[in-house]
Amino acid sequence: MPQQDIVDPPKRRRALLAASAAHAVHDGLTDLVYVLLPVWQAQFAISYAVVGLLRGAYAGMMAGFQLLAGRLSRRFGRKRMLIGGTSLAGLAYLLAGQAGGLAVLIAALMLGGLGASTQHPLASSLVADSHAAGEAKQALAQYNFAGDIGKMLIPAAVGLSLSVVGWRVSVSLAGAMGLMAAALLWRLVPEQLNAPAQSKGASKTQAGSGSASGLRALLATGVIDSAVRMGFLTFLPFILKAKGAGSAGIGLALSLLFVGGAFGKLFCGYLGSRFGMMKTVWATESLTSLMIGLTLALPLGGALAALPLLGLALNGTSSVLYGAVADLAAPGRREQAFALFYTGTIGGGALSPVLFGRLGDAFGVPAAALALAVILLLTLPLSWRVRQGMAAAGSV
């Protein structure tokens, strides 16, 4: 029986809308941290290493508890866990808005990351479980695009509000938005989805035998790509501040970057299917490295103009790498391969701000950003190794 006969269209639409709303809010709250880092540095007089620790506290908790969130959802239910995680993220920002010291702020960010850990595994599975195999990829693309919309709108809105009502009120309003999103999810998320059945036209087995070495190379590529992306996003507000940008300008800059990133995910996905994974990764990673250097060298106006193209390359690679996981996973182990890849890349992104924050303290932010651009080039030989693994697995 086709899956469409099991999950009716209205329930599928509700599931996609709920997952997309959760993705937009959580991604927006996650990347809002970048706008707030310069404010918190000035407020609490902290070093760049501690700045990296603030970002790493949120991202590290989000990465470390995703697998646990998936397991707990089987016991307590996906709806409860998703709503609870969204509520916790909102409460974390309310706590951050009242923080009088660094310890409370770090604790709030850790709570926020814990709440955010529920979103990706549970919302994406909600979309996949409510759609037939032929529709799931398109639905997941819409879900992913919604996350980028959140990244564009929420940091920009809070960046503007910082100059009007101050950072404490702005952060508290972001927390209230998280709680309202949780209430919306309570109304939207279907109480129960019938177990998805395999559609008649879907294959129960995957082609190819998988490649463990190719998967390891892909994981290393993804970790480096994520580490550079998160590290550069952490430093970007300080780079722009040194060029004369204020809080509103930094919020605008991040929106420009994420606009490019949203289109990058769509565009690079097309390039990957048209020209292959390796050629696409070589193009996007080389362009990212070049654009980081240009952003450092250009004045504020030129840097802002360069950010959409930088965002396209910076975010676009991830969509190509994610699509290669299934080609390299051994038969029957796709789920584990995706979990490993996702946890590894987010974990690399969590550690990067801390490590490169120390480099920024020692040699300055521009030197740390240039180091990121150089390290990114390590993905070029790694992607060649991934291509070999795909060929050995019979996926190309």
Side-chain angles (χ1 to χ4, degrees), residues 29 41 47 76 127 131 296 325:
L29 291 178
Q41 186 196 39
S47 67
F76 298 106
V127 175
H131 289 75
L296 292 171
V325 175

Side-chain angles (χ1 to χ4, degrees), residues 268 270-281 320 387 396:
C268 292
Y270 165 78
L271 288 181
S273 61
R274 177 70 175 83
F275 298 105
M277 186 279 304
M278 189 184 78
K279 290 181 180 178
T280 305
V281 170
V320 182
R387 173 65 175 75
V396 293

